Amino acid sequence: MKYSAERVVLVSLLLVLASGLAVHGALCVVADDASAKISEAGVALRRAFAAVLEAEGAGANVSGLVVELGLAGENLTFAQNAYGSGDFVEAVARADRCVVLASEVAGEASGLKSSALAGAKDAEWRLLAFSGVGVLVFLLVLVLAWAAFRRSYSRRLLGMRPEVGSDVEA
Amino acid sequence: MLRLEDFRVVFVAVGLVGVLLFASPSLGLVLHFPAGERFSELWILGPGHMAEDYPYSVKAGVDYLVYVGVGNHMGSSVYYGVCVKFRSQSEPLPNATAGSASPLVPLYEYRVFVEDGRSWEAPLTFSFAYVSQNATYCLVRGISVNGVAFEIDKATSWDAENEGFFYGLFVELWIYNVASDSLQYHDRYVSRWLSMTIA
């Protein structure tokens, strides 16, 4: 009977120890996961911003994307704070949300950049055409005006009558 | 009466001016004029969004509010990091000469995206916990920033000249550099002195 009780105590101790180790291991894994997710979110945020910057450089209006980036950044801040206070589940959830938002922003920025580049090319051609045609029409009008002016000037010159002056005193 | 050659000069001058006017939109594609000075602003305002009524004499268990803001004049959208740090009187601020950040660990970090010519502002609330003092020594073991609690261990000695136990709450501005793919200290910080008292 005594032998059996010792065995029960021993098994119980082993079970407690094993469950403690399992919980500790699980917590370590969760903490590592959260840390990895936060790093991933940071990278996603930087990439999304770089994409937005490219779109802006191409002439796209990125106001909406900048607001969305702000939301993604907020989520990353919350994730870091949750991680610091040991709330790894919340940290992972916030980091995931940041990654999703950042990916959406990066995709939209890419589309905006393409359409902005195409639009900029069209606008460039329109500008060049306007300038070219404008300069040609202006020069043509100026040449015609010069020809008309010269004719009128010659007519006025030929129509002048010579005046005879006299120095004879009365 | 003017001679025909004189009128020709007038026509040529008018022609040149006209050609420049019509070509100016296209010239803008080729000629790039130098941009103005590029810089960022960083500020802390009091609870009324004004540069007044800043928290100064603080104690444990009371919530304090200031506003932190950033202005972007860098010529394009910018990704800023705004780091909130807390120091005792003997701990270092950022080094303005070397342009390096304070080595203290940030308590809270805002990630801010601001378009060129725009600004951003957000509330910064803070409170203290576990403050102990004697005649010459003060120890702060807890601070909460925007509702997030942090364990700290900041001790400071009595400042006989200014008569108080002084701590500094400061924010540093960091900027994302696309080329190096990292946030770098932007050589700007704002600091406020806090005189710690016991309730």
Side-chain angles (χ1 to χ4, degrees), chain B residues 44-58:
Chain B
I44 294 179
L45 296 176
H49 283 283
M50 305 285 280
E52 59 189 20
D53 298 331
Y54 290 105
Y56 174 70
S57 184
V58 295

Side-chain angles (χ1 to χ4, degrees), chain B residues 45-125:
Chain B
L45 296 176
H49 283 283
M50 305 285 280
E52 59 189 20
D53 298 331
Y54 290 105
Y56 174 70
S57 184
V58 295
K59 59 189 176 187
V62 178
D63 288 327
Y64 299 97
L65 168 68
V66 291
Y67 288 92
V68 58
V70 174
N72 175 12
H73 304 277
M74 296 294 285
S76 65
S77 295
V78 172
Y79 172 10
Y80 292 109
V82 180
C83 297
V84 181
K85 296 184 176 181
F86 182 69
R87 73 182 189 108
S88 66
Q89 205 171 0
S90 57
E91 287 178 310
L93 277 168
N95 187 329
T97 312
S100 58
S102 164
L104 299 176
V105 177
L107 295 174
Y108 194 92
E109 190 175 341
Y110 297 91
R111 288 183 170 74
V112 184
F113 298 85
V114 190
E115 279 185 90
D116 181 41
R118 299 282 181 88
S119 62
W120 165 91
E121 199 170 282
L124 168 61
T125 58

Side-chain angles (χ1 to χ4, degrees), chain A residues 1-137:
Chain A
M1 192 68 184
K2 189 184 172 190
Y3 176 74
S4 171
E6 280 173 354
R7 181 177 285 176
V8 168
V9 168
L10 188 65
V11 169
S12 300
L13 278 174
L14 282 173
L15 277 174
V16 167
L17 189 65
S19 60
L21 283 172
V23 167
H24 176 72
L27 277 176
C28 285
V29 169
V30 170
D32 287 349
D33 280 353
S35 176
K37 279 283 178 193
I38 287 171
S39 297
E40 186 189 336
V43 171
L45 197 61
R46 293 198 297 272
R47 283 190 184 152
F49 175 70
V52 168
L53 213 52
E54 281 182 18
E56 188 179 46
N61 180 359
V62 295
S63 296
L65 296 183
V66 169
V67 172
E68 285 183 50
L69 274 177
L71 291 176
E74 263 180 32
N75 275 284
L76 183 53
T77 297
F78 290 146
Q80 279 187 326
N81 291 333
Y83 182 84
S85 55
D87 188 351
F88 302 125
V89 176
E90 175 70 3
V92 169
R94 289 290 192 169
D96 276 341
R97 183 79 191 122
C98 175
V99 171
V100 169
L101 282 170
S103 303
E104 284 174 7
V105 168
E108 286 177 45
S110 176
L112 274 179
K113 182 188 168 188
S114 304
S115 53
L117 281 176
K121 206 77 184 167
D122 286 349
E124 208 170 284
W125 278 113
R126 274 198 298 274
L127 211 60
L128 284 171
F130 168 77
S131 289
V133 172
V135 165
L136 283 176
V137 169

Side-chain angles (χ1 to χ4, degrees), chain B residues 23 37 50 56 76 88 99 121 141 144 146 150 159 163 165-166 168 175 181 190:
Chain B
E37 190 184 358
M50 305 285 280
Y56 174 70
S76 65
S88 66
E121 199 170 282
R141 306 199 66 172
S144 178
N146 289 337
F150 300 93
D159 183 336
E163 297 189 340
F165 293 108
F166 288 99
I175 190 167
D181 189 26
V190 187

